Amino acid sequence: MTKERAYFEALALKEHGKLCPDHVPEVYHFDRTMSLIGMRYLEPPHIILRKGLIAGIKYPLLAEHMSEFMAKTLFYTSLLYRTTTEHKRNVAEFCGNVELCRLTEQVVFSDPYKVSKFNHWTSPYLDRDAEAVREDNTLKLEVAGLKSMFCERAQALIHGDLHTGSVMVTPNSTQVIDPEFAFYGPMGFDIGAFVGNLILAFFAQDGHAAEGNDRKEYKEWILRTIEETWTLFHQKFTALWHQHKDGSGEAYLPEIYNKPELQQLVQEKFMKDLFHDTLGFGAAKMIRRIVGVAHVEDFESIKDDSKRATCERQALELAKLLLKERRNFQAITEVVSAIRKLHA
């Protein structure tokens, strides 16, 4: 990867920081020649969210904060708010982040579905499961569609790697870091990455349960957080849309979409499509974390291979279901029900 990725990271931090200053650390200085970013130090007790989830720590404001970050950064960098001229100029600025995008294309949408020297999994327990992914034609067709959307759809400025390792937290603070993969892509990729990683954290909990702490209550908190994240995002995103419906955004011109019932139809269709994109991309991110190149500490820190494989298999089965059947899900509550059913 080129050192230019620091340029796109600094650019995205500044842009997202303008739009959502409460949840993005401030950049004080950037030196392009030296690839040097000087930014706010996230002082203790901030820790990486993934580590907090492994430790079983509850973050009561997580859904509130992450939904706000995603609603503001995705809405304000889309054509719902911007003119096409502004949008194309910004898309062009981030087009140079091609190396990082190619890496995502490879590890998320390609490697898990073919024999690759980079892939690994909890062997021998998941040998058959990894093979089943590579032999699943329906899965491959769905992933091809998602890859096409990832490569071709410049919908908004996305973080590009919004997993639970890219968020630092305390019970009162949520800070999004490391947007070196940022570019103009499909909104659902960011939302899906975050929700998908919460689902992985859920399935990993049985591997971290101990005598006197079965993690049942904590698993319920994760499921509530998944549900609240999408619900609050939906509310905040549509509220921004209502607030700016007569603004300069060129996606839906007011003189065309001039009746309340038409505006509602447009909004419902947009949000339904975004929900299904979220489930698809989230599922693809989950699959790659189980049978692809880079895994997650949630599972990797489970010492017992057999126990880890059991947790991973449940997550993999859910991911395959979401990827193939995502258009049949109409609400986030149905997703939570599917998680419960598979985990029973």
Side-chain angles (χ1 to χ4, degrees), residues 49 125 130 157 171 173 195 217 234 264 278 288 299 301 318 333:
L49 173 58
Y125 301 97
L157 176 59
S173 169
V195 170
E217 190 197 343
H234 189 292
Q264 189 179 343
T278 293
R288 76 83 142 208
F299 291 135
S301 55
L318 181 87
T333 48

Side-chain angles (χ1 to χ4, degrees), residues 1-10 37 97 100 179-181:
M1 294 186 291
T2 67
K3 68 184 180 68
E4 275 297 283
R5 69 187 190 275
Y7 169 71
F8 295 106
E9 179 169 354
I37 304 174
N97 204 10
L100 277 291
E180 62 179 357
F181 284 80

Side-chain angles (χ1 to χ4, degrees), residues 217-250:
E217 190 197 343
Y218 193 63
K219 285 192 286 188
E220 287 302 313
W221 175 79
I222 294 177
L223 291 180
R224 279 199 309 278
T225 302
I226 290 167
E227 196 172 316
E228 286 172 10
T229 297
W230 172 261
T231 304
L232 288 168
F233 168 80
H234 189 292
Q235 288 171 6
K236 292 173 185 189
F237 191 90
T238 51
L240 289 171
W241 193 338
H242 283 303
Q243 187 184 334
H244 297 284
K245 69 180 190 299
D246 297 318
S248 57
E250 292 197 48

Side-chain angles (χ1 to χ4, degrees), residues 152-181:
E152 297 162 2
R153 190 164 193 202
Q155 199 175 22
L157 176 59
I158 65 172
H159 178 286
D161 200 28
L162 195 57
H163 53 71
T164 51
S166 296
V167 182
M168 291 189 75
V169 285
T170 72
N172 305 310
S173 169
T174 307
Q175 301 291 321
V176 178
I177 60 169
D178 287 353
E180 62 179 357
F181 284 80

Side-chain angles (χ1 to χ4, degrees), residues 27-96:
V27 173
Y28 304 126
H29 177 71
F30 175 63
D31 185 320
R32 191 167 184 175
T33 306
M34 300 300 290
S35 298
L36 174 79
I37 304 174
M39 61 192 286
R40 179 192 160 194
Y41 169 57
L42 296 173
E43 69 289 342
H46 280 97
I47 61 167
I48 294 289
L49 173 58
R50 193 184 301 285
K51 293 187 181 296
L53 294 169
I54 293 167
I57 303 168
K58 291 179 184 173
Y59 297 99
L61 297 174
L62 182 63
E64 176 71 41
H65 289 170
M66 286 304 296
S67 60
E68 182 180 345
F69 169 81
M70 294 188 295
K72 285 183 174 177
T73 58
L74 296 175
F75 178 82
Y76 284 120
T77 60
S78 77
L79 285 169
L80 296 173
Y81 179 76
R82 286 182 171 167
T83 66
T84 51
T85 306
E86 290 173 307
H87 190 71
K88 285 182 187 300
R89 187 170 60 239
N90 288 295
V91 170
E93 181 74 77
F94 276 89
C95 267

